Amino acid sequence: MSEAFEKIKRAEEKLLCRTYSRYPVAITRGAGSRLWDVDGKEYVDLLAGIAVEGLGHCNPELCEVLEIQARKLWNISNLFYQEEQLDLAKILLSTSHHDKAFFCNSGAEANEACIKLARRYMRKIKKVDAYEIITMSGCFHGRTLGTLAATGRKSLQDGFEPLPEGFAQVEAGNIGALEKAISSRTAAVMLEAVQGEGGVVPLPADYLRSVEQLCRERGILLICDEVQCGMCRTGRFWAYEHAGIKPDAISIAKSLANGIPMGAMLATDEMSRGFEAGSHATTFGGGALASAVARKVIEIMLRDRLWERAEINGGELIARLEDLRGEMPDKIRDVRGQGLMIGVELVSGAPEVWKELLNRGFICSLSHNVTLRLLPALTIAREDLDSFAKTLKSILKGG
Ligand SMILES: *Cc1c(COP(=O)(O)O)cnc(C)c1O
């Protein structure tokens, strides 16, 4: 490690709460799907800030909007009407069957909004005392106390108890288990159509349709967490579209403003009746600066049909990785994913392979110490995906 890097590492140990175990790299600059570290080394970025920079780092069109808006208005609180928020809501709602938006600042907050709205809709509109949210094994919904309870992973909850009540979890993919778990207390089922932090696990389309049908039959709400799998990543604008389902609400964040913190909940007119003035709020939500950037993000996604690009380029990479698995079944256990949300589960030595990729200038993440996870910018060049596949092959061959 260089002296420049060691200096940064030492400063952090002194200054920051120890919440992150970081990669041994300090990034100073980015452009598109390229990053540079403090020593000037160049990387191909296959992670894009964990699916945040969907349009690449420092996207010039977004920089322009950001600069113009920065001189006009940043944030004025939600005490005022703001057109930037409405312009964003209009274009965002044009991408789905939902009718109403609520803006916030992160994925966890978007899920909190969904959970709160589900509970309040049941109490105030349906007038039943249903509050429980059922989630799926392997899910991830965030780190606030509520979304941590929804996530249900003991290792993440350790030391933070007591967590809020009213959450239950069932085995993902098992419709019988869900049927058994639903009771008169159930308000909603919440799921990721493609689980991200769980290791890139797409839930089968027929299972998702059965979940939707069950929700309709039992009069409960369906919430899709699209924080990671949404916004063109899986080859559709929203990942739930693959199954042809219509969730009552969805949560959005990561790619929404390409790195400016922003989250959103979209809900149907019916479900959004659960909120009234004063029910829910956040100071920064839908601020003018973030809203102007997010609006441009969606304009570009629609203009350039980036879900198609994700489907084609991601599909080619998945096919290539599948071939590689065929060649080396002793090295690659599984290739999963949709579009540009891809997991490569290795038989062994995944941390070493991940480290060697980093040495050779390729950034991806490592899920549960066994799966290489790729979440590149939707705009990444095919050559970069090709060179990743070649490099992975060479590492696995021991070259
Ligand atoms: C990242 C993520 C979250 C949490 O988002 P934050 O912005 O970190 O709060 C929630 N759900 C899913 C599916 C995620 O990937």
Side-chain angles (χ1 to χ4, degrees):
M1 293 295 132
S2 74
E3 205 165 307
F5 171 77
E6 290 298 342
K7 199 171 150 210
I8 291 171
K9 193 174 167 204
R10 275 196 306 275
E12 160 151 341
E13 273 160 15
K14 211 166 144 204
L15 298 170
L16 300 189
C17 279
R18 264 175 235 156
T19 52
Y20 302 104
S21 68
R22 301 202 197 265
Y23 300 163
V25 179
I27 299 294
T28 54
R29 192 162 65 85
S33 287
R34 287 287 180 285
L35 288 172
W36 289 270
D37 73 11
V38 69
D39 299 310
K41 178 174 168 178
E42 184 176 314
Y43 298 83
V44 175
D45 183 13
L46 297 152
L47 193 54
I50 319 183
V52 168
E53 281 78 34
L55 304 181
H57 298 285
C58 302
N59 179 295
E61 284 185 287
L62 298 179
C63 286
E64 198 183 320
V65 169
L66 186 67
E67 279 167 25
I68 292 168
Q69 187 64 41
R71 289 174 212 289
K72 193 174 166 210
L73 183 70
W74 289 27
N75 183 73
I76 193 64
S77 90
N78 280 303
L79 297 171
F80 297 88
Y81 292 94
Q82 293 158 77
E83 273 194 307
E84 288 85 356
Q85 221 175 87
L86 301 177
D87 292 339
L88 169 60
K90 201 166 164 190
I91 191 163
L92 188 55
L93 288 165
S94 80
T95 65
S96 83
H97 60 279
H98 298 100
D99 308 296
K100 293 250 174 6
F102 172 82
F103 293 114
C104 52
N105 317 286
S106 69
E109 267 187 279
N111 284 326
E112 288 277 345
C114 290
I115 294 164
K116 287 181 74 175
L117 179 57
R119 286 184 171 183
R120 210 165 187 284
Y121 172 77
M122 287 295 174
R123 257 79 174 252
K124 303 289 173 181
I125 305 298
K126 298 213 23 196
K127 306 213 183 295
V128 290
D129 191 31
Y131 53 85
E132 192 173 74
I133 311 289
I134 301 177
T135 61
M136 304 281 151
S137 60
C139 73
F140 181 82
H141 296 301
R143 300 277 202 149
T144 58
L145 288 171
T147 56
L148 197 53
T151 298
R153 208 185 302 165
K154 285 278 168 280
S155 59
L156 305 184
Q157 296 176 343
D158 184 32
F160 296 121
E161 300 88 354
L163 294 170
E165 286 173 41
F167 295 90
Q169 197 162 84
V170 295
E171 187 194 347
N174 181 343
I175 195 73
L178 179 60
E179 211 165 345
K180 236 188 261 162
I182 293 173
S183 72
S184 59
R185 291 186 310 273
T186 310
V189 173
M190 182 157 90
L191 58 84
E192 297 157 87
V194 184
Q195 294 186 333
E197 303 303 304
V200 191
V201 183
L203 301 184
D206 56 357
Y207 172 70
L208 292 175
R209 284 190 285 272
S210 302
V211 172
E212 181 184 50
Q213 196 187 346
L214 199 53
C215 287
R216 300 294 169 245
E217 282 167 15
R218 305 291 294 267
I220 60 180
L221 299 161
L222 177 59
I223 299 165
C224 285
D225 179 340
E226 292 271 341
V227 168
Q228 185 165 147
C229 60
M231 302 208 73
C232 304
R233 181 147 299 278
T234 67
R236 300 286 183 278
F237 206 100
W238 304 108
Y240 65 76
E241 290 174 39
H242 286 285
I245 58 171
K246 287 198 158 74
D248 300 283
I250 63 174
S251 53
I252 313 166
K254 291 193 163 84
S255 291
L256 183 52
N258 212 63
I260 306 283
M262 180 167 230
M265 171 186 69
L266 302 186
T268 60
D269 263 334
E270 175 59 23
M271 184 173 168
S272 49
R273 288 167 65 210
F275 278 165
E276 58 196 285
S279 313
H280 192 46
T282 170
T283 301
F284 294 118
L289 194 68
S291 291
V293 174
R295 173 197 174 182
K296 188 68 184 178
V297 166
I298 296 161
E299 268 177 26
I300 294 171
M301 286 180 173
L302 292 170
R303 181 193 72 198
D304 297 345
R305 303 177 71 83
L306 288 181
W307 61 92
E308 288 182 359
R309 192 158 159 172
E311 182 164 48
I312 293 166
N313 291 349
E316 274 177 16
L317 179 58
I318 290 170
R320 218 165 144 176
L321 294 167
E322 280 287 2
D323 287 347
L324 205 56
R325 184 174 69 100
E327 271 175 55
M328 306 185 210
D330 57 322
K331 300 273 163 97
I332 301 178
R333 175 165 292 139
D334 195 15
V335 176
R336 295 184 296 268
Q338 272 175 323
L340 285 170
M341 185 168 181
I342 302 173
V344 187
E345 187 176 332
L346 301 185
V347 174
S348 64
E352 291 74 32
V353 173
W354 173 85
K355 189 80 204 290
E356 187 52 25
L357 280 164
L358 192 66
N359 283 342
R360 297 192 194 188
F362 291 90
I363 293 177
C364 62
S365 83
L366 186 61
S367 202
H368 302 292
N369 269 332
V370 292
T371 302
L372 303 173
R373 184 168 53 149
L374 311 180
L375 298 160
L378 305 166
T379 51
I380 192 168
R382 287 160 94 153
E383 296 75 50
D384 288 340
L385 299 175
D386 281 351
S387 63
F388 165 77
K390 273 194 203 121
T391 306
L392 179 62
K393 183 175 175 173
S394 135
I395 292 171
L396 291 177
K397 284 209 156 147

